[in-house]
Amino acid sequence: MSDKKKKIALVIGAGSVKCAAALGLWNVLEEENIPFDMIVGCSGGSIYATAMAMGFSLQECIENTKKLWNRSITQQRNWRALASVLLPGILKFDHSFSMMNDGPMLKSFQSVFGEKTFADTKTPLYVMATDFETGESIAQHEGRLVDALRASIAIPYIWSAWKHNGRLLIDGAASNPLPVDVPIREGVDIILAMGFQSPLPSRVKSISRYAFYINSLMTNNLLNANFAFHNAVHHAEIISIFPEFERSIRLFDTDQIPYVIEQGEKAMREQLPYVKRLLES
């Protein structure tokens, strides 16, 4: 009988502020002295995954992720790109189109992670993106963290594609919103898969809300299809953790983070006895 320690991975899917629920999950496992052997993040989930992998404390993660994801990152319109929609021949419309200027977002990422790279993480980290030219799901594992994060949340229409490690990349949710296939490929035994349905704007009253609405529809459908497939053919133990929210959590509702964390803790505690049995078996 083998005494080999079972490897455990956390996968945090796309979900904007809802991804803070992963901090609640993490808090429960810290109390039980159950460490992760790998963390995978996609889109909004990549922000929390990176903060956790860097070894920040729970409180540091809360404070830093509030800096990283808030309304200020969508306050600067990319007027030249918007004008290129009307005058594509003159202003040269191309793959760099975006409705928002990414300056505020890059500034916030830089303020937390600076020039840190994947080699600086305390726990192996994978940040998901999508190859703009091929549609391939890309698990980023090398280079600057700021570049990987910028690529992972390059939501189509909202922010432009980002070049990293020789590839032109967009939002990881465009191809793989809950990437459980990454830890499967790495031979992990137990996968905690935290996923979220993307919120749909209550009213579509602007072009940006229209873009978020369409992206949410596609992400939700892709999440359900991909997760059902991997759950059916996996060789690892995949434990789905989908926190339930009794109140509306919108895209930038960072004031709701304490509540979101509570729901993450609750969802993890429901699965904890099973996780412990798997680790002890």
Side-chain angles (χ1 to χ4, degrees), residues 38-109:
M38 175 192 303
I39 305 177
V40 184
C42 178
S43 198
S46 66
I47 293 173
Y48 294 89
T50 303
M52 292 166 67
M54 283 298 296
F56 294 155
S57 69
L58 179 64
Q59 194 56 42
E60 285 174 328
C61 283
I62 293 171
E63 294 307 315
N64 284 328
T65 52
K66 280 184 179 179
K67 291 182 192 175
L68 295 169
W69 187 259
N70 57 68
R71 294 181 194 280
S72 69
I73 64 176
T74 59
Q75 284 181 346
Q76 290 186 19
R77 298 278 184 179
N78 188 346
W79 294 113
R80 189 183 187 287
L82 289 169
S84 74
V85 175
L86 300 175
L87 302 167
I90 298 173
L91 296 177
K92 297 182 180 178
F93 184 95
D94 59 18
H95 68 265
S96 64
F97 172 79
S98 68
M99 288 188 286
M100 304 297 174
N101 186 309
D102 66 0
M105 177 169 58
L106 285 169
K107 185 178 179 180
S108 68
F109 286 176

Side-chain angles (χ1 to χ4, degrees), residues 32 39 63 70 99 117 123 128 131 135 144 169 203 252:
E32 299 292 332
I39 305 177
E63 294 307 315
N70 57 68
M99 288 188 286
T117 71
T123 305
M128 304 306 295
D131 190 306
R144 285 201 324 154
L169 303 171
R203 288 188 299 158
F252 296 104

Side-chain angles (χ1 to χ4, degrees), residues 49-272:
T50 303
M52 292 166 67
M54 283 298 296
F56 294 155
S57 69
L58 179 64
Q59 194 56 42
E60 285 174 328
C61 283
I62 293 171
E63 294 307 315
N64 284 328
T65 52
K66 280 184 179 179
K67 291 182 192 175
L68 295 169
W69 187 259
N70 57 68
R71 294 181 194 280
S72 69
I73 64 176
T74 59
Q75 284 181 346
Q76 290 186 19
R77 298 278 184 179
N78 188 346
W79 294 113
R80 189 183 187 287
L82 289 169
S84 74
V85 175
L86 300 175
L87 302 167
I90 298 173
L91 296 177
K92 297 182 180 178
F93 184 95
D94 59 18
H95 68 265
S96 64
F97 172 79
S98 68
M99 288 188 286
M100 304 297 174
N101 186 309
D102 66 0
M105 177 169 58
L106 285 169
K107 185 178 179 180
S108 68
F109 286 176
Q110 199 78 31
S111 71
V112 174
F113 298 112
E115 296 300 312
K116 299 290 186 184
T117 71
F118 281 88
D120 295 307
T121 59
K122 304 291 190 295
T123 305
L125 171 69
Y126 292 82
V127 172
M128 304 306 295
T130 302
D131 190 306
F132 179 83
E133 295 169 328
T134 67
E136 181 185 358
S137 178
I138 304 297
Q140 303 174 95
H141 190 54
E142 296 178 331
R144 285 201 324 154
L145 295 174
V146 168
D147 287 320
L149 288 169
R150 171 61 180 80
S152 188
I153 65 168
I155 301 171
Y157 311 113
I158 305 300
W159 289 294
S160 62
W162 190 252
K163 198 154 193 178
H164 187 216
N165 292 338
R167 290 177 181 264
L168 192 61
L169 303 171
I170 60 171
D171 189 3
S175 58
N176 202 352
L178 187 57
V180 294
D181 58 312
V182 175
I184 288 175
R185 286 199 303 268
E186 295 298 317
V188 171
D189 303 293
I190 302 169
I191 301 168
L192 303 180
M194 180 166 269
F196 313 89
Q197 292 290 322
S198 294
L200 299 174
S202 56
R203 288 188 299 158
V204 179
K205 58 182 182 181
S206 67
I207 187 171
S208 59
R209 285 207 174 195
Y210 179 79
F212 277 122
Y213 187 90
I214 296 300
N215 275 290
S216 293
L217 285 178
M218 294 189 296
T219 299
N220 289 342
N221 288 331
L222 193 56
L223 165 67
N224 295 332
N226 277 8
F227 188 71
F229 169 76
H230 289 297
N231 216 22
V233 302
H234 71 275
H235 68 270
E237 188 72 40
I238 301 175
I239 302 171
S240 58
I241 303 173
F242 285 58
E244 295 183 4
F245 302 100
E246 296 173 354
R247 61 180 80 160
S248 173
I249 309 293
R250 292 173 299 179
L251 203 62
F252 296 104
D253 283 351
T254 52
D255 59 306
Q256 299 279 4
I257 283 179
Y259 167 72
V260 171
I261 291 174
E262 285 178 13
Q263 298 309 106
E265 288 186 356
K266 181 181 177 182
M268 184 62 241
R269 290 195 191 282
E270 291 173 358
Q271 297 287 359
L272 185 59

